[in-house]
Amino acid sequence: MEIGGKTLTATFSDLTEQANGSVILSYGNTVVLATAVISKGKREGIDFFPLVVDYEERFYAAGQILGNRFQRRENRPSDEAILSGRIVDRSIRPLFETHIRNEVQVVITILSIEKDDPDILAVNAASLALGVSDIPWNSPVSAVRLGKHKGNEVFEVNPVYDFREHENVDLEIIACGKDGNINMIEAEAKEAPEEDIERALSFASQEIERINEFQRKIIAEIGKKKMDIGKDEISDEAKKAFEQEILPLVKNEIWDEVGWGKIDAVQKIWLEILKEKFPEENPALAEVYLDDVVSEVIHRAAVNENKRADGRRFDEVRSLYAEAGGFSKTLHGSGIFYRGGTHILSALTLGGPEDVQTIDGIEAKSEKHFMHHYNFPPYSSGETKRLATGRREIGHGMLAERALRAVLPKKEDFPYTIRVVSESMASNGSTSMASVCASSLALMDGGVPITRPVAGIAMGLMMEQPTTDNQRPVKYKILTDIQGPEDHHGDMDFKVAGTDKGITAIQLDIKVGGIPILILKEAVLAAKAARGQILDVINKAIPAPRPQISEYAPKIINLKIKEGQIGLLIGPGGKMIKRITAESGAIQITVDDNGLITILGKNGAAEKAAEKIKELTREYKPGEMFHGKVTRIMDFGAFVEIGPNTEGLVHISQIAPFRVNKVTDILKENDIVPVVIKEIDEKKRINLSIKDADIDFAKKKGVGPQTVS
């Protein structure tokens, strides 16, 4: 089929005949292989659907031998691969029946890459691989990327890398969906108005349905019959006991912000009853049954009784607290942000140009001057487990990074490398959006001249399941600032970040088949109102970036020299620049091909290095006066050093206002003498004069016409 001016081709063969389903999908010169496999038996003792999506980059896809000198094979997945894999996972997961306990693995392998990003292909390929397989799945789902340049209202469909990397890009959005609904969004914008988001989703939905129709025809023609995986449940007797002894507790214990912890207590009681009265029952199935009942109670209360789990209004944000700085003097900047039971600490570190992160993968080859990293230690959710940086941490960190990029200063105006780390200290709903808020505080506290603060909020949804005939309208409630139980049991987690001028980032995850665009439009507008409340609190804590960076942060000084002077500054084998770095105590001195020098240092070291470089690279002019050191004496005159690596000749006739027969009558090596530049000849040789600088110099040395030998 044709989409975005290019041909999308799906190829099916016996190449991967052991897989339950597979496809090779190509678009331009980008090609991906998607395979789907389901385990033969069920995984016992778990209370979740074990789906794994692996996104595998291959160096050969880019036609390069990458890696490093000692490791020339693919190792751990890049951040870009992890983020792309999460997009696939979040798009396909809602369309599986949650009772499945057979392991399902979807593997996306990048076979070839050129101008088109394989992440969009990956979603569509995963859908086709699952769709034609015998794995139970509510197919298909499709994805499209839209991009727009500033001042242009027309969306580019599946824009290539060059289009997306242009400085004028003001909106980029990935949308996935089916049947006119949306089930996954990933977006970055430069303060886009809410209307642009709605328009983009409407246009994306049209393209999505074209791809879905393409998939449906293929699945109808070659798709396998889906296997029947029965749903295991606890017995009717156990359900009856639950209704009598546990259901009343559920209805009583979930109505406050800490209801999640109370449900844990209810679960403990339930499992004890089960162990005593129904020892033959599967505890994992019992936990799932409790989870389903809690979800049903919360949904019914919201949709039919206008009641939230913690008693708030549907548009009410929990209590807010913001603090800029004051956490530790040695940090370059810090921010603490509370939203209800979600508490985040963000710390800022400023570095020099050499601290940039070099990206060298099959997709991206660039340098990152801004990094946001996110940590979710187990204590923040009251758990004990191994500390690790997983896919979730990388995904949440990148979401906040995208949200903040729109307000950062240009590199030319603020040449620091910026790293912000957000630590989840306590978690009860959307730590990623709280990280955006805390990071804004840290950036402003550290004196980073962002244009304005960014705030984020997570919107939720409780939606009545539609009737089978689809005739009765769906009843729903949009929830502002979802907390733990609403996040876990709700139908969507819709994260929206932005400034008071517009949206900077969006991420949508859902647990149902899809969300109508009109509901998303309503949620975007509700998020705008909540964002305004949060920004008010941030602005009260710190109304603007501090005028100076922290005294503990290194200072950066920029200088410009001529391209022809670069070699002089660097010196043979880098000796000169290393010498200046060592003598001044500077942390870093870097010079680019255009002669722009960036000096990084603390406690006056940057200033000291700058002076040395200015002296080394200064262009001398006739008439300038110096006190220089005599370095060599010749029969015809003396050489005098007037600057680093710069010396000139004082001819014997320029030493005194009378005839000097021998230079050594007046001068000796290491003497400090006054000189003036008399001329600079065509070969850039500097001719100096002592007598023009001080006519009485020889007299002061006790030498006159009568004493000259």
Side-chain angles (χ1 to χ4, degrees), residues 357-372:
Q357 180 183 1
T358 301
I359 308 295
D360 187 18
I362 69 169
E363 288 189 61
K365 296 185 186 301
S366 60
E367 292 183 338
K368 286 182 68 172
H369 295 270
F370 171 61
M371 295 157 277
H372 176 273

Side-chain angles (χ1 to χ4, degrees), residues 13 32 101 129 337 345 408 482 518 620 668 677:
S13 72
V32 306
R101 295 296 177 265
F337 181 78
L345 164 68
L408 293 173
I482 54 176
L518 288 176
Y620 295 91
K668 63 179 183 294
I677 297 178

Side-chain angles (χ1 to χ4, degrees), residues 626-679:
F626 305 89
H627 279 82
K629 183 172 73 172
V630 177
T631 58
R632 290 176 291 158
I633 292 179
M634 316 295 289
D635 291 340
F636 51 83
F639 287 95
V640 177
E641 183 182 65
I642 59 174
N645 285 359
T646 303
E647 60 182 20
L649 172 66
V650 180
H651 191 267
I652 192 170
S653 65
Q654 295 298 318
I655 296 175
F658 49 82
R659 179 180 177 82
V660 176
N661 292 323
K662 291 177 65 179
V663 176
T664 53
D665 286 343
I666 300 176
L667 302 177
K668 63 179 183 294
E669 286 189 8
N670 296 321
D671 276 353
I672 303 299
V673 298
V675 292
V676 63
I677 297 178
K678 194 170 184 64
E679 66 173 352

Side-chain angles (χ1 to χ4, degrees), residues 233-242 245-246 266-290:
E233 294 186 273
I234 59 174
S235 66
D236 291 341
E237 290 77 11
K239 290 179 182 178
K240 189 176 294 184
F242 179 94
E245 301 187 49
I246 302 300
V266 171
Q267 177 175 285
K268 185 177 180 181
I269 296 171
W270 168 227
L271 292 177
E272 287 175 353
I273 291 173
L274 205 73
K275 184 177 181 180
E276 180 184 344
K277 296 183 178 180
F278 306 97
E280 72 283 356
E281 296 288 351
N282 186 333
L285 293 179
E287 290 178 18
V288 171
Y289 186 75
L290 170 62

